[in-house]
Amino acid sequence: MVTMQLLLLTVVLILPSVEESSHRNPRYVATADKLLGKWYIIRWAGNLPVSAKKKLIPLPPFTFVKNILSNLEFRMNVSKPTGCVEFKISLDEDKNKPSDFYIWPKHRITIEFLGGKNFAIAFHVSKAYNLTLTMTMLMGRNMAPKRTMLLDFEDTVENLGLNKTDIIHPKCDDSCELSREI
């Protein structure tokens, strides 16, 4: 009887972790047209030199739009003491490597959808002055990802050589209204 109870207890304790790992999310190619719209930064991690205080600052949502040249453009309104300031940067889609975008020559950002089209992981790795700079984020069209998506993001962080204990969970600052989409 005691053996059966121990076996049952073991199954009850192990089953949730087995179930969780079997529900990991597939990744899909992210193209410019599929990325259009409003996004939130849900988690991020990186080894860029950012002060501990700045890491905790709430982040505004951002949008991907097509600009007047029909290129994908990242837009984010940032709250400054003087008011809201729009930051925007054009991304060139690499036609030979799906999910890869360039903001400068040799400055590649990879974006992959995670489990559908409502969540994605973006990452960038570059070398400068004998340093490897790495940045990644989990972004979503809403702020409520499934737990398995958070686990997938943790895996990405570790695969990029970062520490998952350094993952930042920013609050959202939507105090600046996003500009009209073109």
Side-chain angles (χ1 to χ4, degrees):
M1 182 69 164
V2 172
T3 305
M4 277 304 269
Q5 289 174 335
L6 284 174
L7 180 62
L8 183 59
L9 178 63
T10 303
V11 169
V12 168
L13 292 175
I14 292 175
L15 190 59
S17 64
V18 170
E19 176 189 353
E20 208 163 82
S21 66
S22 67
H23 285 94
R24 291 300 182 98
N25 304 280
R27 294 191 184 199
Y28 302 102
V29 171
T31 60
D33 290 334
K34 293 178 184 174
L35 286 167
L36 298 176
K38 185 175 181 178
W39 292 87
Y40 298 91
I41 300 171
I42 299 168
R43 302 278 194 283
W44 71 271
N47 64 356
L48 304 176
V50 178
S51 71
K53 183 179 178 181
K54 286 197 176 193
K55 286 182 181 181
L56 300 176
I57 293 174
L59 297 172
F62 63 92
T63 58
F64 281 120
V65 300
K66 289 280 183 130
N67 63 19
I68 58 173
L69 300 174
S70 293
N71 291 332
L72 184 67
E73 191 170 84
F74 170 93
R75 292 184 183 176
M76 176 187 275
N77 282 0
V78 181
S79 180
K80 297 282 186 182
T82 57
C84 295
V85 177
E86 184 178 50
F87 171 79
K88 57 184 172 179
I89 192 161
S90 182
L91 290 92
D92 294 319
E93 190 171 8
D94 187 331
K95 300 300 181 195
N96 298 317
K97 291 185 178 179
S99 294
D100 283 0
F101 301 86
Y102 290 88
I103 55 174
W104 296 295
K106 298 184 180 183
H107 199 87
R108 181 184 64 184
I109 297 171
T110 301
I111 305 172
E112 298 173 332
F113 284 115
L114 188 61
K117 294 180 185 172
N118 290 324
F119 295 92
I121 292 178
F123 60 89
H124 166 76
V125 178
S126 65
K127 294 196 184 272
Y129 307 108
N130 294 325
L131 296 172
T132 300
L133 302 175
T134 306
M135 184 76 172
T136 184
M137 75 173 167
L138 173 62
M139 56 194 223
R141 294 188 191 275
N142 64 61
M143 301 278 295
K146 293 187 290 185
R147 176 155 167 67
T148 56
M149 292 178 178
L150 297 174
L151 293 171
D152 287 338
F153 182 68
E154 287 179 2
D155 290 346
T156 299
V157 166
E158 288 184 323
N159 289 338
L160 290 170
L162 300 170
N163 191 339
K164 70 180 184 180
T165 59
D166 293 332
I167 293 174
I168 306 295
H169 179 188
K171 292 183 176 157
C172 181
D173 174 12
D174 57 358
S175 62
C176 287
E177 190 69 27
L178 288 168
S179 64
R180 180 181 63 86
E181 293 183 23
I182 293 177

